Amino acid sequence: MIMDYDVIVIGAGLSGLIAAARASAGGRSVLVLARGQGVLALTTGCIDILGCLPGSEGRCLTDVAGGLQRLAAIDPDHPYAKIGLDLVQESIEFWQQVMPAVGYPYCGSGAVNYLLPTALGTVRPTALAPATMAGGDIRNEAGTLVVGWLNLLDWHPKLIADGINDLRNRRGLGGAWSSVMLDALPGAAPELTPVMMARFLENAQHLELLIAGLRKSLTPGTGRLGLPAVLGIDEGAALFRQVETRLGCPVFEIPAGQPTVTGLRLAQLLIKFLKQYGVGFRFNVSVLSAERRNGAWQVMLDLPGRAAVVTGGALVLATGGLIGRGLEADRTQIRECVAGLPVAGRDLPGQAREASGWGRDPFAMAGVVVDGRMRPVATDGDPEQYRRLFVAGSTLAGYDPAVGKDGLGVALATGYVAGNAAATEG
Amino acid sequence: MEKTDVLVIGGGATGTGVLRDLALRGVDAILAEQQDLAYGTSSRFHGLLHSGARYAVNDPESARECRQENAILKRIARCCVDDTGGLFVLLPGDDPGYADDWFAACLRAGIAVQEIPAAEALSLEPNLNPALKRVFRVPDASIDGFALVWANVGSAAGHGARAYTYTRVDRIIVRDGTVSGALVTDLRTGEQRQIECRFIVNAAGAWAGQVARLAGCELKILASKGSLLVFNHRVTNRVVNRLRRPGDGDIIVPQDTVAILGTTSVPVDGPEHLGSSRAEVDQLLLLGRDLVPGLDERRVLRSFAGVRPLYQENGGEGQRPQDGRAVARQFALVDHERQGVRGLITVVGGKLTTFRLMAEQATNLVCVLLEHDAPCRTAVEVLLPEATAAQVRQLQRYFSPPVSQKMAERLGRADLDQLLGILSRNGWKRQFVCECEQVCLAELEWRATGSSWLRLGDLRCRTRLGMGTCQGTICAARAIGQLYQDGMLDLGRARRLLGEFLDERWKGNQEVLWGDQLRERLYARNVYLNLHNFQKEADDYGL
Ligand SMILES: Cc1cc2nc3c(=O)[nH]c(=O)nc-3n(C[C@H](O)[C@H](O)[C@H](O)COP(=O)(O)OP(=O)(O)OC[C@H]3O[C@@H](n4cnc5c(N)ncnc54)[C@H](O)[C@@H]3O)c2cc1C
Ligand SMILES: Cc1cc2nc3c(=O)[nH]c(=O)nc-3n(C[C@H](O)[C@H](O)[C@H](O)COP(=O)(O)OP(=O)(O)OC[C@H]3O[C@@H](n4cnc5c(N)ncnc54)[C@H](O)[C@@H]3O)c2cc1C
């Protein structure tokens, strides 16, 4: 392993991957160090830019561009407000360019939201959806059949169809969704998670069986088919296209279970693409610490049986938040684990709280405070100690994706800015 | 109007125990519980089937009662008892003289106590404080309060008794100084109705004072709150008691896949709306780490609290006990005839371990008053007939042998028949809805159709769904989805149930938000709020 890179990225979640892509595009040698694959595989795989404004009590935002303007005005601590909306827009354009090259195109301009169905029969606003999902917008008038199989876990087609009809009715659209439950696919295990089913369907014969079964359930009124996201992992949207062409009927996926197929697919395809592009990856390593010494970043790794050091000219910290383990809380305080950066909301664990779980959560909002270039704002000590260190993604303070529906959007935009900065700032 | 001989108020261990005893003696009886069974202290407790050792020094009478009941329950209630055994551990700094007194007191109470070498104890329980001085084995065990209460009612129903949940007693009707019935409200429909009866047994635990007042009788009950912490794994495989004068944070009880540390003792005004404070949590962790070093670093799933009703025989002029533990833990049986109301008796206090004995004595009194001559059979008749070998073999068609074994032990013969019936019709219902606690779809279906329930939490109590490490993150959505798919819920109810369930979970871990449990909570929030965009209030999503 080479021990000296222009840019070291810690973390292989979406923010780390995007930062690595940008630094690499800027002509730098890049190494990504990561303990695991990050939260991406648990998500819908849709890039939420902004789905819900603070204080709007769960109302779905459809006008993303207008929403961003409003957000920047009322919430100056939000990462989008820090980097500025032009750069948010640039990062979206970057996504739209890079995904066709990855071979897994996304739909959406970024300016408006889709309203996509969830596995719980609710609706979710999102700006950028994989082609396999984008056809599911609930405002579409087509008669929609949601299909399930008895042996598939975490999938309840009737709940989805009835739930969406209920929402459509409230909007005066009329119910157009129905559901059907098919017998277990022959040859498959008696209980399958969506990921297991996706692996099963990567076999061509199994996919044939699936298509045959689906064909039988089509009726003249079926305008499109809603399937659980199970149409393969490694081959991107290829199985999806095959099913759609063979059936002659539009199809869309709805993510289900944990991890989700759409999340896992995106994570794996992006990593594969970046590897081909020359980005170095090292998984299953924990970074113990990072320190700036003699004009470079020294990153200490916890390798089995020994410790090792890699050095980099610039460092991108994309280690995630409390879920991704970039931040850790003990009974009295929250700390940032790698560089010991100051954390806003540090004292939360020791404080008395009244957090219901439903609104913006103080723990989710906690994190590292940065300036518009993703540089930590030093509260004490020597400003030099954070030179050429850039922070991206959910390590940052100031947003709660569970409420704002802006998680992967912030990861994209801040990863983009951090990666650019790491590649250029001398 | 519905008629019965005896109305039992309260669906905890005591009330359901009385219902079963009456039914086995051939007395017609109805039980009314304001919420779900085991809503009160019988689920908000530590889960320790006492050997009596804890009370040997302070309360030898209680100790003897516990010893006897412990042996009886291990025989008749194998479905609810995990016979883990228990240890008493003398730590450095605790009074060594007390250990000798305690040992002698245990022998006097007839408790099978045996000293074992410290090294042996540490090999049995490697997490214990390695500096421990002396260790004794006792026949403590772990008992599941939910399962016990349900088994009592199941057995009673088999003998003709009726039990109504979500049925609150609002008034006790007294005519010419004699009980003649009660006015009850069905909390699901809001409807009031009258139940006519000759006797009422008040087994309302910490609410017993309020219930007695419904008949105009005074009953002094002081309430003392105890908080407990649930760890995400079996910290120890045996019950572990700290060998010293009973105090706070000195017992760890393994319960299925988790372990519970407790308790505190804080005087409170009444039985409702209790949580544990951060100060109690901190105090418990501080004490618990004396027994198990590093316990305060381990993952706590949630905290909860229960209320001990402390009966004050001589009034006590409303004074609060300094320490709930100083007041005797023995139970009281009160015939309110001396207050001018014939046909009302109260049975209150004691311990879950002694519920059967309390029920026996209360039922004896009722039978005397009814002039009904029948012996008590609850000590000899098995509570829940055990699974047969044939049933276990049938289960193995769907599950691995260890899983089948565990299910068979938990469910008993009658429930297994139902479960196997569902599986033979729909083999795919072998799928686990809750992987942590191995609850399959067939069990969910049987519990949801075979009993009346209101909340998802009620099904959790009947099945253990969502009680393990993930605390419902995965299985709550699965359960709701399946119940909906099976036509047991409408959309509005499905959403309400899920919202309530999450509220309850999030309240439960409010005071233990650090480390892995904080991470789990944030993860669960994202699964429901983010991935599923589930909204409790704005369920039209502003569309
Ligand atoms: C269940 C769930 C569903 C969600 N759904 C959506 C959705 O549908 N759409 C959406 O836009 N957002 C969604 N979000 C939010 C979104 O997933 C996150 O905001 C985003 O993924 C965060 O990305 P990240 O790169 O900042 O961090 P993470 O993905 O958490 O990545 C952190 C990386 O750092 C590594 N790491 C951490 N510490 C170290 C260390 N010391 N040494 C080495 N490596 C380390 C980790 O292993 C990991 O690779 C969801 C979140 C959750 C939890
Ligand atoms: C913190 C704590 C830990 C404990 N640990 C242990 C232990 O480890 N081992 C042990 O043996 N004992 C233990 N105990 C004691 C034991 O839990 C109780 O003694 C026992 O559960 C009491 O059962 P009960 O049926 O009398 O009361 P409860 O279980 O409280 O039942 C009373 C019921 O009456 C109902 N009710 C009230 N008013 C009305 C009304 N108007 N109409 C209808 N219904 C009504 C309530 O809803 C309630 O369900 C513990 C107690 C506490 C507080």
Side-chain angles (χ1 to χ4, degrees), chain A residues 214-250:
Chain A
L214 289 177
R215 187 171 285 132
K216 271 191 235 148
S217 44
L218 290 180
T219 68
T222 312
R224 57 177 177 170
L225 276 186
L227 302 184
V230 292
L231 298 177
I233 295 169
D234 295 342
E235 294 173 63
L239 272 58
F240 164 77
R241 300 255 175 259
Q242 214 176 323
V243 172
E244 212 173 43
T245 320
R246 295 280 307 284
L247 289 174
C249 172

Side-chain angles (χ1 to χ4, degrees), chain B residues 340-357:
Chain B
V341 177
R342 262 192 313 277
L344 175 64
I345 66 171
T346 294
V347 54
V348 69
K351 282 164 277 294
L352 187 120
T353 302
T354 56
F355 87 93
R356 196 210 58 82
L357 182 65

Side-chain angles (χ1 to χ4, degrees), chain B residues 9-16 32-50 55 143 167-170 203-208 211 214 224-228 253 263-264 305-309 347-354 358:
Chain B
I9 304 176
T14 311
T16 59
E33 161 59 48
Q34 60 179 352
Q35 297 284 325
D36 196 21
L37 294 182
Y39 166 76
T41 317
S42 297
S43 64
R44 300 162 181 283
F45 81 128
H46 210 152
L48 169 53
L49 180 64
H50 283 285
Y55 305 106
I143 183 162
T167 301
R168 190 184 59 216
V169 175
D170 284 333
W207 291 261
V211 168
L214 298 177
S224 157
K225 177 181 80 162
S227 284
L228 301 120
V253 181
T263 71
T264 56
V307 176
R308 303 181 179 90
V347 54
V348 69
K351 282 164 277 294
L352 187 120
T353 302
T354 56
M358 294 164 68

Side-chain angles (χ1 to χ4, degrees), chain A residues 181-194:
Chain A
M181 186 63 99
L182 304 179
D183 280 339
L185 278 179
E191 38 189 328
L192 286 177
T193 63

Side-chain angles (χ1 to χ4, degrees), chain A residues 11-12 15 35-36 39 43-44 46 48 124 285 287 319 393-394 408, chain B residues 530:
Chain A
S15 64
R35 187 157 44 208
V39 178
T43 71
T44 60
C46 294
D48 301 344
R124 204 175 176 286
V285 288
V287 172
T319 46
S394 48
L408 291 175
Chain B
N530 203 344

Side-chain angles (χ1 to χ4, degrees), chain A residues 57 60 122-124 150 154 156 158 162 166 258 322 325 328-329 331 349 353 355 357-359 400 405, chain B residues 278 282 431 478 481 484-485 495 503 510 514-515 519 521 523 525 529-530 532-533 535 538 541-542:
Chain A
E57 277 152 13
C60 287
T122 57
V123 64
R124 204 175 176 286
L150 277 182
D154 299 310
H156 307 99
K158 187 168 148 53
D162 292 358
D166 176 62
Q258 287 284 285
L322 284 159
R325 293 170 191 261
E328 275 287 350
R331 285 171 59 214
R353 291 169 304 275
W358 298 97
D400 175 0
K405 311 293 180 305
Chain B
R278 185 60 192 260
D282 288 344
Q431 290 167 19
R478 270 190 193 164
Y484 187 84
Q485 198 73 26
R495 290 179 179 153
D503 266 339
Q510 183 72 33
W514 62 85
R519 180 171 301 124
R521 166 153 156 156
Y523 170 60
R525 269 181 89 245
L529 274 60
N530 203 344
H532 290 130
N533 195 17
Q535 307 271 339
Y541 296 87

